Amino acid sequence: MSIPEKHSFQAEIQQLLDIVIHSLYTDREIFVRELISNAADACEKLRFLQASGQAIVDPDAPLLIQVKTDEKEGTVRFIDSGIGMSREDLVENLGTIAHSGTKAFLKGLAEEKRADAKLIGQFGVGFYAAFMVAEQVTVESRPHQPDGVACRWVSQGTTGYELEASSRPQRGTEIALKLKSDAATYAQESTLEAIIRRYSAFVPIPIELNGKRLNTVQALWTRNRSEIKEDEYNEFYQFLGHDHQPALLRLHFTADAPLAIQSLLFVPQTNFESMGLGRMESEVNLYCRKVLIQSKAKHLFPDWLRFLRGVVDSEDLPLNISRETMQDSSLMQRLNKALTGRFLKMLEETAEKDPETYRKFYGEYSRFLKEGVVTDAAHKQGLGKLLRYESSALDAGVHTSLADYVKRMPADQKEIYCLLATSRESGLSSPFYEVFAARKFEVLLLQDPWDEFVVEHLDRFDDKPLRLAEKADLDLSDKPSSGLSDEQAGALARWMKETLGEKVNEVRLSKRLLDSPVLAVDSNKYMTASMRRMLRSAKRDAGGLEASKSDFEFNPAHVLLAQLDALRQKDAALAGKVAEQLFDNARIAAGLLEDPREMLKRSNQLLTELLAAKQA
Ligand code: ADP
Ligand code: MG
């Protein structure tokens, strides 16, 4: 037995240890991730040396990471058959914080221009995470050289460490933690199993916990697309997405610049929010070299892409960074931008090459795209390309993109017209549609109440303004012949304004009605009936929405108006009632009448008078 040799930590180490132990990491459990990552790195390094023909002790010993817990003793051990550390390595790598042996190794490789080994560590503090949970850490290591000498390193993570000779025969490193009393849970097999599965499920070296193999699923995203079978993708998705159905869409892509990204993303068959299961949470996990950094990573995608599931792996992420720092880092924003752009491009390609699948996707997820248009200014134009609507120019059930609509626009049409309607039929029979039919302008039939906000926020597509049909400033090209002279029509308008009084804002002769007698629009240029309804229901309790005022348009060419004009000379009282009823009819058609009670009463009176006149 040799006598242990005492060493003090490097000068700044006390301070740095304090930071690592108390504030660098938010979750104590990540010490498991760090020690396993180091073990995996050590194995990868060995594999590399072996491949480059170096002499290695126990060349046939398999590369393996073993984790062993002892609840009674309150210990957990991490054992690997990797590269190992000599006495000098131990002093250098573990006695010096922020000295990363991995970095030195990579630098050595780079100098040899063979920097192809895939290693996790870069930052040089991961090992010290062990002291968050351990009152004592013992590292026993046998380096890989055939003549290597084993050594033991022991520390309480306070002032320094002790070194002594070791009789460990097998290649590699064993790190034993004597857990602090408040960290006893980490000696429990079930606790450790959950942690390893969470962070290290895809580490490419086999991991055994108390003899049981834990990581059996491959990190599929790091493999070459052309070598992966459909079944493998399905299996992976089901493992990752906890979904019994295969995914609806998949995006597997790799980028080197400006960021190194490997990503495998899935869209589930079903939109789980539509099933009333509440708001979904993004289930995309962020990895760095196959090691989990953040599960359900926030800010990796915009909120409206929260239906995605999958994996994003970026070598550019520093592994040892804590969660808080990740979130505001500009790196995250750059990842977000690159990933979102790529995903939108994939949707566009799908729409083009596989319309059937795109239709399914749109059926499930159109609301998310619309949410994106409204909330994400950076992507709204890209999202505009993905919207689909029924159109007056196409058969029922057929959807068009805005791009195709624009292609069909005649030269004299300057705007994209959108008609809000509860159904295709009601849209096409609405008085607002008449002017478009007459001028042969195509109208998109928007049937989702959200579409009004989409039109408002998207504002234009391909430089063409999007215009709600009811707000369009369009005249019929040929004025229909009228039973009323201009003068008579003008007098009728003035009389109507007098008769309707405060209820109406403005009465005018319509230039857009062909078959309908009357039409009403909200006087507020920026307000529509459906928006008013939505605001009203949102403000029901606050009660603060100003009452709606409508403009009233009538069609002087319509026979009803000529008859009304004649009636008002003979029976002004009856004509007044008819005018009020016409105004209410127009407001009903436009969805602007809030309280129908007065209208119903009047309508019954008019019917009574009609029947009485018939019987007379
Ligand atoms: P990093 O992994 O970022 O380099 P760590 O603090 O995690 O920093 O580890 C410091 C160094 O200690 C590593 O770079 C590596 O050289 C060495 N090391 C740690 N654990 C092992 C191990 N199990 N086998 C071999 N070397 C190790
Ligand atoms: Mg490390």
Side-chain angles (χ1 to χ4, degrees):
M1 267 286 283
S2 65
I3 303 155
E5 215 180 84
K6 284 195 194 309
H7 292 251
S8 310
F9 281 130
Q10 181 196 19
E12 315 89 324
I13 224 151
Q14 210 69 42
Q15 224 181 335
L16 282 167
L17 254 175
D18 209 54
I19 296 173
V20 170
I21 296 171
H22 296 114
S23 54
L24 185 62
Y25 301 109
T26 25
D27 279 336
R28 296 213 293 179
E29 67 184 28
I30 61 93
F31 79 91
V32 177
R33 174 188 86 182
E34 296 300 331
L35 295 183
I36 287 185
S37 297
N38 283 349
D41 276 356
C43 292
E44 291 284 357
K45 286 176 195 167
L46 189 96
R47 198 190 330 252
F48 183 82
L49 293 178
Q50 210 161 18
S52 55
Q54 292 211 17
I56 276 164
V57 69
D58 303 338
D60 300 325
L63 291 174
L64 178 68
I65 300 169
Q66 289 171 284
V67 182
K68 294 183 177 170
T69 58
D70 187 328
E71 234 181 303
K72 263 224 288 315
E73 296 285 316
T75 59
V76 50
R77 293 180 294 150
F78 297 81
I79 305 155
D80 69 67
S81 55
I83 192 172
M85 282 179 276
S86 66
R87 187 191 154 90
E88 292 71 37
D89 292 336
L90 285 167
V91 170
E92 178 130 324
N93 297 335
L94 307 184
T96 339
I97 280 197
H99 173 96
S100 168
T102 294
K103 221 173 199 167
F105 183 83
L106 274 178
K107 196 158 161 272
L109 287 180
E111 277 155 17
E112 285 176 46
K113 296 203 186 328
R114 302 189 53 183
D116 50 335
K118 294 267 173 249
L119 304 169
I120 304 163
Q122 275 179 350
F123 209 62
V125 292
F127 169 76
Y128 290 93
F131 289 105
M132 292 192 295
V133 297
E135 56 186 36
Q136 176 162 301
V137 177
T138 306
V139 182
E140 220 172 327
S141 196
R142 159 74 167 89
H144 65 278
Q145 295 87 348
D147 58 352
V149 179
C151 189
R152 180 187 295 122
W153 179 104
V154 186
S155 174
Q156 282 89 38
T158 49
T159 53
Y161 54 93
E162 289 177 0
L163 280 176
E164 62 185 320
S166 149
S167 55
R168 178 184 169 83
Q170 57 297 41
R171 180 189 76 212
T173 305
E174 169 165 345
I175 299 182
L177 312 189
K178 173 84 185 86
L179 296 168
K180 294 177 181 173
S181 55
D182 66 354
T185 173
Y186 298 112
Q188 264 171 345
E189 182 175 305
S190 58
T191 308
L192 226 51
E193 175 165 346
I195 300 173
I196 295 171
R197 285 193 191 281
R198 175 150 63 247
Y199 290 102
S200 310
F202 300 109
V203 165
I205 309 291
I207 302 172
E208 287 178 5
L209 173 63
N210 297 336
K212 183 169 121 190
R213 174 81 189 264
L214 293 188
N215 55 337
T216 49
V217 180
Q218 275 190 20
L220 208 59
W221 65 90
T222 61
R223 280 178 46 196
N224 201 322
R225 265 197 305 270
S226 58
E227 293 162 5
I228 303 174
K229 294 192 197 71
E230 203 61 21
D231 281 354
E232 292 180 279
Y233 276 125
N234 287 340
E235 204 179 302
F236 182 80
Y237 169 68
Q238 280 164 8
F239 167 81
L240 186 100
H242 310 290
D243 192 351
H244 60 279
Q245 309 182 80
L248 177 61
L249 287 174
R250 169 179 82 224
L251 173 62
H252 185 180
F253 85 100
T254 327
D256 296 321
L259 284 169
I261 301 174
Q262 289 176 311
S263 178
L264 182 49
L265 301 169
F266 298 93
V267 178
Q269 294 272 351
T270 326
N271 159 10
F272 293 95
E273 271 182 30
S274 73
M275 300 170 71
L277 296 178
R279 198 178 163 79
M280 287 197 272
E281 226 190 323
S282 163
E283 287 190 32
V284 181
N285 300 334
L286 182 60
Y287 287 74
C288 173
R289 298 161 204 256
K290 302 181 192 168
V291 174
L292 183 75
I293 301 293
Q294 208 179 12
S295 70
K296 303 185 178 179
K298 292 228 162 53
H299 311 291
L300 197 52
F301 284 95
D303 220 26
W304 54 268
L305 277 175
R306 61 187 174 275
F307 54 84
L308 288 180
R309 296 180 178 189
V311 170
V312 171
D313 194 322
S314 175
E315 298 191 3
D316 292 330
L317 295 172
L319 175 67
N320 306 56
I321 231 132
S322 69
R323 292 167 186 232
E324 284 85 343
T325 356
M326 275 318 299
Q327 292 182 2
D328 6 88
S329 83
S330 70
L331 193 65
M332 211 61 173
Q333 284 169 21
R334 282 158 58 211
L335 271 175
N336 183 316
K337 189 166 166 241
L339 291 164
T340 308
R342 191 60 192 77
F343 185 74
L344 285 176
K345 189 169 150 219
M346 184 277 282
L347 289 180
E348 243 183 276
E349 285 165 3
T350 306
E352 196 168 307
K353 291 192 201 124
D354 185 358
E356 185 50 39
T357 303
Y358 186 74
R359 215 189 1 259
K360 261 194 220 149
F361 166 79
Y362 196 78
E364 287 291 323
Y365 297 99
S366 63
R367 280 271 176 115
F368 291 85
L369 303 182
K370 292 174 186 180
E371 184 185 320
V373 170
V374 173
T375 59
D376 186 351
H379 294 108
K380 70 177 181 185
Q381 286 304 325
L383 284 163
K385 295 185 196 161
L386 297 169
L387 298 173
R388 297 292 182 270
Y389 291 111
E390 278 200 65
S391 153
S392 61
L394 304 172
D395 291 339
V398 180
H399 291 77
T400 180
S401 64
L402 295 175
D404 287 341
Y405 175 101
V406 167
K407 276 187 215 148
R408 290 189 294 265
M409 277 167 65
D412 60 334
Q413 184 185 340
K414 304 293 177 221
E415 299 176 312
I416 298 171
Y417 296 114
C418 308
L419 183 58
L420 299 164
T422 47
S423 70
R424 178 187 176 88
E425 295 70 33
S426 79
L428 293 178
S429 60
S430 139
F432 294 117
Y433 179 62
E434 290 175 9
V435 67
F436 298 97
R439 298 204 42 182
K440 301 203 164 46
F441 285 169
E442 179 176 352
V443 175
L444 297 174
L445 299 160
L446 278 42
Q447 296 159 48
D448 176 352
W450 286 24
D451 285 328
E452 178 158 10
F453 296 99
V454 170
V455 169
E456 186 185 312
H457 281 85
L458 190 57
D459 191 47
R460 41 186 60 228
F461 179 81
D462 197 10
D463 267 348
K464 315 267 185 306
L466 287 149
R467 183 75 59 213
L468 290 178
E470 54 195 282
K471 302 291 180 191
D473 186 15
L474 273 186
D475 297 347
L476 292 170
S477 24
D478 310 310
K479 199 174 151 201
S481 62
S482 171
L484 295 176
S485 69
D486 288 357
E487 219 163 84
Q488 285 171 313
L492 180 61
R494 281 190 297 282
W495 172 80
M496 286 230 232
K497 169 67 191 157
E498 257 162 54
T499 309
L500 298 172
E502 280 303 293
K503 276 194 260 176
V504 73
N505 180 56
E506 188 187 317
V507 177
R508 53 178 180 254
L509 307 185
S510 181
K511 296 187 185 108
R512 56 175 154 176
L513 288 177
L514 200 61
D515 300 321
S516 300
V518 289
L519 165 157
V521 282
D522 201 301
S523 305
N524 185 336
K525 200 169 128 207
Y526 302 103
M527 190 66 88
T528 60
S530 63
M531 198 180 297
R532 216 173 254 291
R533 259 196 304 282
M534 240 183 270
L535 289 174
R536 208 179 306 127
S537 70
K539 283 197 181 171
R540 182 166 293 148
D541 306 320
L545 190 68
E546 31 92 57
S548 85
K549 275 249 174 179
S550 307
D551 290 352
F552 185 39
E553 292 184 13
F554 67 86
N555 177 1
H558 198 284
V559 61
L560 189 47
L561 278 298
Q563 286 170 336
L564 179 62
D565 194 50
L567 179 64
R568 79 183 170 98
Q569 330 283 348
K570 283 184 269 171
D571 185 346
L574 180 61
K577 272 187 217 153
V578 172
E580 286 186 341
Q581 188 63 35
L582 277 175
F583 180 47
D584 280 352
N585 287 351
R587 290 201 287 174
I588 290 169
L592 287 166
L593 189 73
E594 283 161 33
D595 183 354
R597 281 174 300 183
E598 196 191 328
M599 183 282 293
L600 288 170
K601 215 167 113 194
R602 184 191 326 107
S603 164
N604 289 335
Q605 280 171 10
L606 284 170
L607 289 173
T608 313
E609 283 189 44
L610 173 70
L611 295 181
K614 279 276 170 202
Q615 276 154 20

